[in-house]
Amino acid sequence: MSLLVVGLSHRSAPVSVLERAALSADAQVKLLQDTVAAEPASEAAVLATCNRIELYADVDKFHAGVAELSTLLAQHSGVGLDELTPYLYVHYEDRAVHHLFSVACGLDSMVVGEGQILGQIKDSLARAQDLHSAGRLLNDLFQQALRVGKRAHSETGIDRAGQSLVTFGLEQLARGGDVQQWARGKRALVIGAGSMSSLAAATLARAGVAEIVVANRTFDRAERLAEILMEGDDTDVAARAVPMESVPAELTRADVTVSCTGATGLVLTAESVAEAVEGRTPPSAVPGEDGPTAPGGESGRTAGAQRSGPSGTSLGSEDGCPLELSSVQGTAGFSVLGEAAVAGMAAAELEQHAAWVDKGTVGGAQRAAGGSARPGTAGTLDPAADTDAIAALAATVAAVGRIPERRRPEPVEEPQRPEPVLFLLDLAMPRDIDAAVHRLAGVRLVDIESLAEASAGAPMAADVDQVRRIVSDEVAAFGAALRAAHITPTVVALRTMAADVVAGEIARLDGRLPGLDDKHRAEITQTVRRVVDKLLHAPTVRVKQLAAEPGGAGYADALRTLFDLDPETVAAVSRAEDSTTEKDRGPA
C-alpha cells in the first residue's frame, strides 16, 4: 500500500473554484466513507480549510487511486471533473509526506508560517479516527505532521515570517498600519462562532476594540463566545451575543465586521451593506470637469488643447489627425503624442498618426520651444521622445504586420475614494460577503481573494530555509521508519517459523530419547535456540537497515521468497500489529 494525496489549494486554483469546491462538514464525512469503500483505498483523511481541499489515502494502485480520488472529490464538491481536473495536484509516497509536513509547518499557507493549520490538521485526524477511516499509515502520518509543525515553530523563527490569517486580514484592513491603533475604540461585529470567528473575536479584543457583537445561527454558541471574551484577563472589551436576524441592524452600528460561517450562500449582500452605510459615507472628492490641475495652474483640458503645431494652431485640432480628440482630450495625463494615444489603433491608422506627428513637430515651433507641460505631471513635454516612440511603433507595424500587443499606458489619475466607514473581513470559503461590495464607496472589503493577492508578494523570513531543512530531515526519517516497519511483519514471521522448527525438532528428540531428563532437555533446547538466533541475527538486522533505504521494500519480498514464508502468516502479523497499535493510540 502507498500514500497518495489529491487536492487543490490557493496555489493551484483561483478563489472562485475553491469557493465552489468547498466541502461542508457533512460532505467531508460522506467523502471519507465513500473513499474507504472504493476499491483502491484502505484508509482516508480529508484536510479542508478556507484555502485548501486535500484527500489523503492509502492505495494499492497509483493510477486507479488518482482516478478514483479525483472523481470522488468532484462528486462531493459539486464541481465537474473536467472543470476541476486542471486545478488538482497529486503527490505520491515521499512527495505526499513532504507536502503534508510542509503544510503543517505553514510553508504552504497563504500566510507563510501561520500556525492555525496545526489545529486544522488535528481536527482532520480526529474526524478520520471517529469514522475509523484512518488506519496505521494515516494515523502515524498525521501525528508525525503535528510533531514536525510544532518542532518548526519551537526551533525556528517561522512565527516571525507568518501569522494567522485573521491577523494578516486585519493588517490589510488597516492598510499595513498598526492594527491596535487602527482598531482602538471601534465597534466590531463577528458573524459566526467557529474556530476562525473565535480567533478573530479574540484578536480584535486584544487589539483594543470597544465592543464586540457576536452573531451566530446557534445562539448558545454566540453567548458562550461573548462570555469568554468578557472573562479574558488580557482584554477589557464589552461583548454581547445576538441572533443572526439582528445582523442587518448591528451592521449599521459596526465599524468593522468579520464573517466566517459555514453558510453555502451569501450572508451579506451588496444591497444590505449599502443600506448599512447609507448616510454614513463622507462626501468624496470628485475632480472638476477640467480634470487635475497641471503645473502653472493650467487644467488638463487646457494644457492638452494648447499644444501648438508649426502653424501656431492647436495641434489637437489640426487637419489629418486620426484621433477622435473630442472624447479623449480632457483625460488626465493624456498626450496626443504619447503611447496611450495609439493603444488599440489599426495598423493603417497608426502609420497615419506617425506621419501626422512627424509633420506637426519635426522642425516646427513646438520642438523649438521645448514643448509645453505634460498634463498632470511636473516638468516639460519632450516631443522628440514621443515622436520617436510613435515612429518606433509604426516601424514595428511595418516589420511584423501588426501593432505590438503590450504597450505601457500613460498614468491616469483616478478619482479619490472616500475614507471607509465600514471595514469588512470575509474569511469564509465559500465567501460570506458579496464581492460586489468592493465597488461600494465608504466600504473596504478584504476577502480570501484579496488576501491571496496581498500575500503573493510578501517577503519570506530567513527562518523559512531552516524549516525546509527540518521538513526534509523529517521526511527522510519518516520514510525510513515506514519502510522498516513494512519489513517487520516478514521478520516476525521468519522468527516465528524458526521457533516452530526448533519446537518440532525438540519434540522429535523427545521421541527418540524418552529417558532424557529435564535438565539435559532444557540445555539442548537452549543450545538449539541460540544457534538459530545467531544464524538469523545478522541477516534480519541487515535486512531492516536495507529496507529503511529508498527502494528497500523489495527486501521483504526477497526474504519471503528465500525462506518460503506463508503470505497469510505475514498478513496475520500485520493485522495483529495494527490492532495493538489502534488500541494503544487513543485520540490525537
Side-chain angles (χ1 to χ4, degrees):
M1 303 297 280
S2 300
L3 177 65
L4 174 68
V5 56
V6 177
L8 66 160
S9 73
H10 65 283
R11 295 186 182 277
S12 69
V15 173
S16 58
V17 174
L18 282 174
E19 280 186 318
R20 294 170 53 210
L23 298 173
S24 66
D26 291 341
Q28 292 178 43
V29 170
K30 192 67 170 64
L31 175 58
L32 285 176
Q33 293 171 337
D34 288 353
T35 302
V36 293
E39 182 178 345
S42 61
E43 303 180 32
V46 174
L47 178 58
T49 71
C50 60
N51 52 28
R52 76 177 61 250
I53 304 163
E54 296 176 344
L55 179 57
Y56 292 78
D58 188 6
V59 299
D60 57 3
K61 299 174 183 176
F62 172 73
H63 293 291
V66 172
E68 186 66 31
L69 266 59
S70 301
T71 301
L72 288 169
L73 274 175
Q75 289 177 352
H76 291 278
S77 68
V79 180
L81 182 60
D82 291 342
E83 183 180 358
L84 193 64
T85 298
Y87 305 111
L88 293 177
Y89 47 77
V90 175
H91 298 297
Y92 190 56
E93 294 187 330
D94 283 355
R95 290 302 306 170
V97 177
H98 189 282
H99 175 73
L100 181 59
F101 287 3
S102 298
V103 169
C105 294
L107 293 180
D108 197 58
S109 296
M110 187 179 294
V111 182
V112 175
E114 62 97 6
Q116 190 178 2
I117 186 65
L118 286 174
Q120 294 163 331
I121 291 175
K122 186 176 181 179
D123 291 342
S124 297
L125 176 57
R127 184 185 304 108
Q129 288 175 337
D130 290 342
L131 295 171
H132 304 289
S133 67
R136 180 170 185 171
L137 174 61
L138 292 185
N139 269 290
D140 290 348
L141 173 69
F142 274 66
Q143 289 182 354
Q144 185 63 23
L146 291 171
R147 287 189 285 268
V148 174
K150 292 175 183 177
R151 179 188 169 193
H153 283 278
S154 63
E155 295 184 13
T156 74
I158 189 68
D159 291 327
R160 295 194 297 267
Q163 56 210 316
S164 75
L165 200 61
V166 170
T167 304
F168 187 61
L170 293 177
E171 285 188 354
Q172 294 305 303
L173 285 181
R175 298 184 183 275
D178 182 76
V179 172
Q180 290 191 335
Q181 182 178 352
W182 167 81
R184 188 173 297 117
K186 282 184 167 61
R187 295 184 300 270
L189 170 62
V190 175
I191 306 176
S195 58
M196 187 77 81
S197 298
S198 300
L199 178 60
T203 304
L204 286 168
R206 288 193 297 269
V209 295
E211 179 189 37
I212 296 179
V213 177
V214 182
N216 192 57
R217 297 192 185 281
T218 305
F219 185 70
D220 291 345
R221 295 189 64 182
E223 278 191 318
R224 180 57 186 151
L225 178 54
E227 291 172 1
I228 293 173
L229 294 172
M230 294 283 285
E231 294 168 358
D233 295 333
D234 57 343
T235 63
D236 183 19
V237 63
R240 56 188 174 90
V242 298
M244 286 294 288
E245 296 75 26
S246 300
V247 166
E250 295 295 340
L251 195 63
T252 63
R253 301 177 61 254
D255 300 307
V256 54
T257 297
V258 179
S259 187
C260 186
T261 73
T264 56
L266 293 176
V267 175
L268 296 179
T269 64
E271 291 76 11
S272 64
V273 174
E275 291 175 3
V277 298
E278 187 176 358
R280 298 169 58 187
T281 305
S284 59
V286 181
E289 68 173 11
D290 285 340
T293 300
E298 189 175 59
S299 72
R301 181 185 297 272
T302 305
Q306 289 186 347
R307 291 190 192 91
S308 299
S311 63
T313 62
S314 169
L315 182 62
S317 60
E318 185 167 325
D319 293 339
C321 177
L323 292 181
E324 187 66 39
L325 295 178
S326 60
S327 61
V328 298
Q329 212 170 16
T331 304
F334 178 82
S335 165
V336 292
L337 300 179
E339 289 185 51
V342 298
M345 263 191 177
E349 292 175 325
L350 178 61
E351 291 175 350
Q352 287 180 0
H353 190 68
W356 176 81
V357 168
D358 183 64
K359 176 183 176 183
T361 56
V362 176
Q366 189 178 54
R367 175 167 293 183
S372 59
R374 183 185 298 273
T377 63
T380 59
L381 179 68
D382 183 0
D386 283 335
T387 301
D388 292 342
I390 293 181
L393 287 173
T396 303
V397 171
V400 302
R402 60 183 176 85
I403 299 177
E405 296 178 359
R406 296 181 61 87
R407 286 184 287 276
R408 179 178 55 82
E410 297 186 13
V412 177
E413 293 185 10
E414 298 181 356
Q416 184 178 358
R417 288 174 63 91
E419 284 299 315
V421 295
L422 178 61
F423 297 85
L424 301 172
L425 177 58
D426 185 359
L427 298 175
M429 184 65 72
R431 69 176 71 240
D432 278 350
I433 303 176
D434 192 345
V437 169
H438 279 294
R439 299 194 295 269
L440 295 180
V443 180
R444 176 162 170 75
L445 169 63
V446 171
D447 52 20
I448 294 295
E449 191 165 13
S450 55
L451 285 175
E453 293 174 359
S455 64
M460 297 171 63
D463 300 274
V464 169
D465 289 337
Q466 186 178 351
V467 174
R468 286 176 174 156
R469 288 192 292 271
I470 289 176
V471 169
S472 296
D473 292 344
E474 292 284 356
V475 169
F478 184 83
L482 199 64
R483 289 186 289 270
H486 178 70
I487 204 170
T488 297
T490 302
V491 172
V492 171
L494 174 60
R495 288 192 172 276
T496 300
M497 184 191 73
D500 291 342
V501 171
V502 170
E505 290 302 314
I506 294 300
R508 192 171 68 87
L509 182 64
D510 285 342
R512 296 182 63 180
L513 299 174
L516 194 66
D517 60 73
D518 292 342
K519 179 180 179 181
H520 287 92
R521 182 185 295 105
E523 186 63 33
I524 292 172
T525 301
Q526 187 64 25
T527 299
V528 174
R529 286 175 176 168
R530 280 199 298 268
V531 170
V532 172
D533 286 343
K534 287 184 178 180
L535 286 174
L536 292 180
H537 176 72
T540 53
V541 169
R542 183 60 180 147
V543 78
K544 285 184 178 181
Q545 293 172 343
L546 293 171
E549 298 176 358
Y555 288 100
D557 297 331
L559 207 59
R560 287 192 295 269
T561 301
L562 288 172
F563 288 93
D564 195 23
L565 297 176
D566 182 10
E568 180 55 34
T569 302
V570 177
V573 174
S574 298
R575 288 194 295 269
E577 286 191 348
D578 289 344
S579 177
T580 302
T581 304
E582 188 66 31
K583 290 179 181 178
D584 296 339
R585 182 174 290 119

